[in-house]
């Protein structure tokens, strides 16, 4: 992919950070509602919590998941970070893919089922947002710290570029001056 120009890269970075933070905040909200629904003795409050979770799951989760994944993918492919050049980018991609799929295909149907159950507590709606929150916090940390360095592919690409630059410099030194 062609490198992104600075204004496009910066705009896309703002979008990516905003939706990623939204996903974390939304998950914390779901966790709060899940804990409330599970720990209260009031079936009316349990039912209301699950119905509120359903609104978030129906209207916010799918677009946030897709925009986070797409914006991260375009950023990685359109910048020197690359998708598979650095361990932290590669790991973030796979965690985003897995948590996004789990959110859409497991958590969301579980929320829908709980909202239709009439106030029956469900521990999975505490566990899933807890795990997801941990995953999103982990991705935030590695985005800031950028640990682990280059992947094998990244080292190969860097070595290839260094080799080409070295050959070009040698050729320039050996060529006669015009």
């Amino acid at each position: 992919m062609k490198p992104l120009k600075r204004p496009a890269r910066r705009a896309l970075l703002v979008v990516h950070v905003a939706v990623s933070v939204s996903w974390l905040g939304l998950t914390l909200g779901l966790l709060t509602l899940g804990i409330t629904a599970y720990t209260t003795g009031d079936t009316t409050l349990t039912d209301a919590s699950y119905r509120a979770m359903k609104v978030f799951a129906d209207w916010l989760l799918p677009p946030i998941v897709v925009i986070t994944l797409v914006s991260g993918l375009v950023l990685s492919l359109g910048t020197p970070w690359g998708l598979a050049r650095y361990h932290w980018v590669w790991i973030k991609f796979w965690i985003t893919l897995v948590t996004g799929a789990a959110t859409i295909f497991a958590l969301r149907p579980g929320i829908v089922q709980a909202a239709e159950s009439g106030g029956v507590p469900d521990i999975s709606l505490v566990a899933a947002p807890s795990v997801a929150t941990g995953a999103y916090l982990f991705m935030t940390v590695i985005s800031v710290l950028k640990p682990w360095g280059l992947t094998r592919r990244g080292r190969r690409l860097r070595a290839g570029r260094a080799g080409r630059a070295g050959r070009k410099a040698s050729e320039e030194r050996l060529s006669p001056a015009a």
Side-chain angles (χ1 to χ4, degrees), residues 14-94:
V14 168
V15 168
H16 182 68
V17 169
V19 294
S20 298
V21 169
S22 298
W23 197 0
L24 174 59
L26 178 58
T27 303
L28 286 169
L30 292 173
L31 177 59
T32 303
L33 288 167
I35 290 170
T36 301
Y38 189 74
T39 59
T40 186
D42 182 355
T43 57
T44 306
L45 182 55
T46 298
D47 187 48
S49 295
Y50 288 149
R51 284 187 286 118
M53 289 174 80
K54 185 179 181 312
V55 171
F56 291 142
D58 286 346
W59 293 98
L60 295 176
L61 279 176
I64 285 175
V65 168
V66 170
I67 294 168
T68 299
L69 185 60
V70 170
S71 63
L73 194 56
V74 172
L75 271 171
S76 69
L77 295 173
T79 64
W81 291 112
L83 179 61
R85 288 184 191 157
Y86 289 87
H87 286 288
W88 70 272
V89 177
W90 191 234
I91 289 167
K92 268 186 67 176
F93 168 73
W94 284 105

Side-chain angles (χ1 to χ4, degrees), residues 92-114:
K92 268 186 67 176
F93 168 73
W94 284 105
I95 293 173
T96 302
L97 196 62
V98 169
T99 56
T103 296
I104 298 299
F105 300 114
L107 177 61
R108 195 164 165 257
I111 291 171
V112 170
Q113 182 179 359

